[in-house]
Amino acid sequence: MRSCDVAVLGLGLIGSAALDALLNAGVDALGFDPLGPGATRGSSHGSCRVFRRFNFENENYTDLSDAAHAGLETP
C-alpha cells in the first residue's frame, strides 16, 4: 500500500491548488476526489455553483460577477 505525508481530499479549485503547491514544495502528497476527471457535479457547475456578488478587492468585480451570473457579456 502507498503511503504519503499529506493527503488532499477533494480536488476542486482549492484542493488542486493545494496539491500542486505541496508537490512543488517537495512534499510527498496524494490527492483524492470522489468525482472522476471531467465530472460536472462539482461546486463550479450547475445550480450549486457559488457566485460571490460582493468582492472587496475591487468594486469592479461586483459588475463582473453580476454579468457572469446573468450569463451576459462583461460590461
Side-chain angles (χ1 to χ4, degrees):
M1 176 182 354
R2 168 86 159 80
S3 64
C4 63
D5 294 329
V6 176
V8 176
L9 306 178
L11 296 175
L13 181 65
I14 300 300
S16 295
L19 181 60
D20 183 63
L22 288 164
L23 295 173
N24 285 330
V27 175
D28 183 22
L30 290 174
F32 300 92
D33 196 277
L35 303 175
T40 59
R41 297 182 307 163
S43 64
S44 60
H45 300 284
S47 63
C48 64
R49 184 172 184 173
V50 175
F51 279 91
R52 290 176 181 82
R53 186 164 181 274
F54 299 101
N55 298 279
F56 299 101
E57 295 90 351
N58 185 309
E59 63 185 37
N60 294 327
Y61 287 126
T62 301
D63 292 335
L64 291 172
S65 296
D66 289 346
H69 188 260
L72 304 173
E73 292 184 21
T74 57

